Amino acid sequence: MSAAAIGTMVFVLTVVWGGATIALIAAWRLERRQARTEGQRRDGPQD
Amino acid sequence: MGKTERFSSRWGLLFASLGMAVGAGNIWRFPRVASQHGGGAFMIAWLVALFAWSIPLLIVEFWWGRSTRRGPVGAFVSMAGPGWAWAGGFVAICCTAIMFYYAVVSGWCLYYLGRSVFMGLEGAAVQSTWDAFVGSGWTVVCLAAALAIAVLVVLFGVRRGIERVSKVLVPCLFVLLLAAAVRAVMLPGAEKGLERLFQPNFHLLLEHKVWIEAFSQSAWSTGAGWGLLLVYSGYARRGEEVVVNSFITGLGNNAASLLAAIAIVPTVFALLPPDQASQVAAAGNEGLAFIWMPRLFLCDRNPGGAFLLIVFFASLALAALSSLIAMVEMGVRSLVDLGMARRTAVAVVALAGFTLGLPSALWMEVFKNQDWVWGLGLLVSGFLFAMGAARHGLGKMRREHNAEARGPGLGIWFELCVRALIPVAFLVMLVWWFWQAISWNPESWIDPRATTGLSTCLLQWGLVLVGLGFANRWLRKRSEKSGGPQ
């Protein structure tokens, strides 16, 4: 397999799988933030 | 199902969206088309198509579904205006027409999965097995089985049916594809297939055919413009994020396509001489999946091939079923929007799916005709979404989204894609595919009975569009009267 083909494969896999992984991490962080916000709203003011 | 039903979590919605997007086309079409049209050059064009066509349309669908909580007709009326009910009707009919023959494909996958598990297939007899199966009574039984599974899932509702099943089907599908891909690259000679798949013949990027094939594949494969994500996002929780979810759906779909390609193309090139390997790509979707892959998996040089064949058909069946479930839900949602009770709508879709799927199950020419007509119709659906979004106001949509978004905002790139790139890409693809229809049938393209002619396409679309034009006011009134789940 030529170096150029390996380079193309690495590039395509990085964009697709890397992009999907970054998007999944972003989704997970948003979900956590939303859960925290909802938790604070349920608990009400702490003082 | 109650009116207030929603997906229980973001992950439920994401798994369902991925199940919707990843279908048989990812497994039996993408590897074939990518290796036929330039490998690495095709991959680059396919990535451009993902970001220029598919993801912007997925964002439009997600936004519309979450905002309106309606099916296609109600969403078009709410977002584009009362004169656009016909456009929503076209999207719904196009997708439902695909469901009729896609249920047949799902049945084929189930049959081959069952046969490879319980009876085994003989490598030397796969052609005769296919010839005896297709068009036989078994295709009807399998059509009924596939539809029954999808209808049952939809009958259980969003949370207990679609969400629960997607959370099992989609991870299983990815694990099976990954296992098949790892096994394929370990075969001696697999690097020839990888070379074919990723060869950097970038001069091919100057050829229009590579771009058109890449955009067509992306449009058909990601589910963008089908209206399915619109329906699913109608059940999203309040405040569900639009951009991130749309990116995960598009990228996740392409990730599955890549795994399938890495599982299939190296296997073909490792087990066949190069000239014969090229014939496999030319054998068509059914030829690749039901004739060549069993033949290759079951040959003497592929130890453990019988088990791998089961893995292959299981992934094909899971991919097909998860998409079929979304299509059945689309039909049901559209009828519910017109005022029908959900259970009645499920029964109507099941009956229509079986009755109108029968001709495709029994006659391959009908199957090919419907695949041609409504596959191209999906490009029209995508274009209608882009036009509807432009009518609603892309700047307005961006401002509304960015004002409330907790995640990434929508940039000017989105507006540029929806306003300019998608309409231009649609026109180029449509003209090219029409030109193909004329070149395939130089003497009969005008004959509406020609399977993949130009006239049959224009006639069927024309009948639907004229009917919808007359019914526009009725559709709008029914849709407004029934409202959506709040």
Side-chain angles (χ1 to χ4, degrees), chain B residues 57 60 64 76 84 381-391 394 417-419 422-423:
Chain B
L57 283 178
V60 169
W64 281 22
F76 267 92
W84 284 73
S381 291
F383 175 68
L384 290 175
F385 269 110
M387 290 297 94
R391 176 86 177 77
L394 290 163
C417 288
V418 178
R419 197 183 294 283
I422 290 175

Side-chain angles (χ1 to χ4, degrees), chain B residues 364-386:
Chain B
M364 274 305 275
E365 289 304 303
V366 177
F367 174 85
K368 285 180 182 162
N369 173 265
Q370 290 300 288
D371 191 20
W372 162 246
V373 171
W374 299 111
L376 267 192
L378 283 177
L379 301 181
V380 180
S381 291
F383 175 68
L384 290 175
F385 269 110

Side-chain angles (χ1 to χ4, degrees), chain B residues 2-3 10 14 17 33 43 57 107 123 145 162 187 190 192 209 215 221 225 236 254 273 286 353 389 453:
Chain B
K3 270 197 155 187
R10 176 194 296 270
L14 279 176
S17 305
V33 176
M43 294 286 180
L57 283 178
I162 296 169
L187 284 170
K192 283 181 283 182
K209 200 177 174 190
F215 267 74
S221 168
N254 281 22
E286 305 90 74

Side-chain angles (χ1 to χ4, degrees), chain B residues 111-467:
Chain B
Y111 174 83
Y112 269 79
L113 173 62
R115 185 153 179 154
S116 56
V117 172
F118 297 110
M119 293 167 71
L121 282 161
E122 275 184 51
V126 282
Q127 180 72 56
S128 55
T129 305
W130 171 253
D131 292 340
F133 168 65
V134 74
S136 71
W138 272 108
T139 52
V140 179
V141 174
C142 295
L143 160 70
L147 261 178
I149 294 171
V151 164
L152 200 66
V153 172
V154 170
L155 201 60
F156 272 96
V158 172
R159 228 179 246 203
R160 287 194 308 134
I162 296 169
E163 179 175 341
R164 194 179 284 180
V165 169
S166 301
K167 278 179 171 172
V168 178
L169 284 193
V170 174
C172 286
L173 172 60
F174 272 87
V175 169
L176 288 174
L177 285 177
L178 187 66
V182 169
R183 158 71 187 166
V185 295
M186 284 163 67
L187 284 170
E191 67 279 359
K192 283 181 283 182
L194 289 173
E195 175 85 39
R196 174 63 175 252
L197 203 52
F198 295 102
Q199 57 188 332
N201 294 332
F202 292 132
H203 64 277
L204 291 174
L205 285 172
L206 297 174
E207 287 191 12
H208 66 281
K209 200 177 174 190
V210 170
W211 286 94
I212 289 168
E213 286 286 355
F215 267 74
S216 303
Q217 174 64 27
S218 194
W220 288 326
S221 168
T222 50
W226 291 54
L228 298 171
L229 192 64
L230 171 98
V231 171
Y232 274 178
S233 57
Y235 304 120
R237 293 172 309 164
R238 201 179 295 275
E240 191 66 82
E241 223 286 320
V242 174
V243 176
V244 171
N245 287 1
S246 304
F247 268 83
I248 293 175
T249 306
L251 287 163
N253 170 78
N254 281 22
S257 293
L258 278 177
L259 278 182
I262 293 173
I264 290 172
V265 180
T267 306
V268 172
F269 278 80
L271 299 174
L272 284 176
D275 55 327
Q276 257 194 307
S278 302
Q279 285 175 19
V280 177
N285 295 337
E286 305 90 74
L288 172 77
F290 301 118
I291 296 166
W292 276 104
M293 292 319 289
R295 197 174 278 168
L296 288 173
F297 278 122
L298 299 174
C299 77
D300 297 336
R301 290 190 296 132
N302 193 10
F307 176 72
L308 287 164
L309 190 60
I310 294 172
V311 171
F312 173 74
F313 283 128
S315 52
L316 200 57
L318 293 184
L321 278 176
S322 58
S323 299
L324 183 64
I325 290 166
M327 292 179 206
V328 170
E329 175 60 33
M330 148 73 92
V332 171
R333 176 77 250 178
S334 301
L335 292 177
V336 169
D337 272 4
L338 296 178
M340 198 177 276
R342 188 172 168 89
R343 277 178 182 275
T344 316
V346 173
V348 169
V349 169
L351 196 65
F354 181 73
T355 314
L356 297 173
L358 270 181
S360 294
L362 294 171
W363 298 288
M364 274 305 275
E365 289 304 303
V366 177
F367 174 85
K368 285 180 182 162
N369 173 265
Q370 290 300 288
D371 191 20
W372 162 246
V373 171
W374 299 111
L376 267 192
L378 283 177
L379 301 181
V380 180
S381 291
F383 175 68
L384 290 175
F385 269 110
M387 290 297 94
R391 176 86 177 77
H392 172 69
L394 290 163
K396 185 177 156 197
M397 183 180 154
R398 275 181 58 213
R399 280 192 300 279
E400 285 171 1
H401 173 270
N402 293 348
E404 65 163 54
R406 288 174 296 115
L410 279 175
I412 191 76
W413 64 271
F414 167 76
E415 210 168 325
L416 180 74
C417 288
V418 178
R419 197 183 294 283
L421 276 175
I422 290 175
V424 170
F426 163 72
L427 280 176
V428 172
M429 281 191 281
L430 195 69
V431 168
W432 190 79
W433 282 110
F434 278 172
W435 180 249
Q436 291 293 103
I438 294 171
S439 62
W440 291 332
N441 313 279
E443 278 154 25
S444 61
W445 63 269
I446 198 78
D447 184 352
R449 291 166 302 174
T451 306
T452 52
L454 178 56
S455 294
T456 183
C457 203
L458 295 178
L459 181 71
Q460 293 182 57
W461 291 357
L463 287 173
V464 167
L465 285 170
V466 167

Side-chain angles (χ1 to χ4, degrees), chain A residues 1-2 4-6 8-13 15-17 19-20 23-24 26-28 30-31 33-34 38, chain B residues 10-11 40 43-44 47 51 174 191 194-195 198 200 202 237-238 241 244 248 251 254-255 258-259 406-407:
Chain A
M1 200 176 165
S2 68
I6 293 173
T8 311
M9 182 171 78
V10 170
F11 172 73
V12 173
L13 287 173
V15 171
V16 174
W17 278 91
L24 275 171
W28 175 70
L30 284 167
E31 189 75 6
R33 197 191 305 167
Q34 186 175 358
E38 280 171 8
Chain B
R10 176 194 296 270
W11 308 116
M43 294 286 180
I44 301 296
L47 285 181
F51 294 108
F174 272 87
E191 67 279 359
L194 289 173
E195 175 85 39
F198 295 102
F202 292 132
R237 293 172 309 164
R238 201 179 295 275
E241 223 286 320
V244 171
I248 293 175
L251 287 163
N254 281 22
L258 278 177
L259 278 182
R406 288 174 296 115

Side-chain angles (χ1 to χ4, degrees), chain A residues 23-44:
Chain A
L24 275 171
I25 292 169
W28 175 70
R29 291 181 60 170
L30 284 167
E31 189 75 6
R32 242 178 32 151
R33 197 191 305 167
Q34 186 175 358
R36 240 192 341 254
T37 315
E38 280 171 8
Q40 280 169 357
R41 204 177 296 150
R42 263 198 309 273
D43 294 343

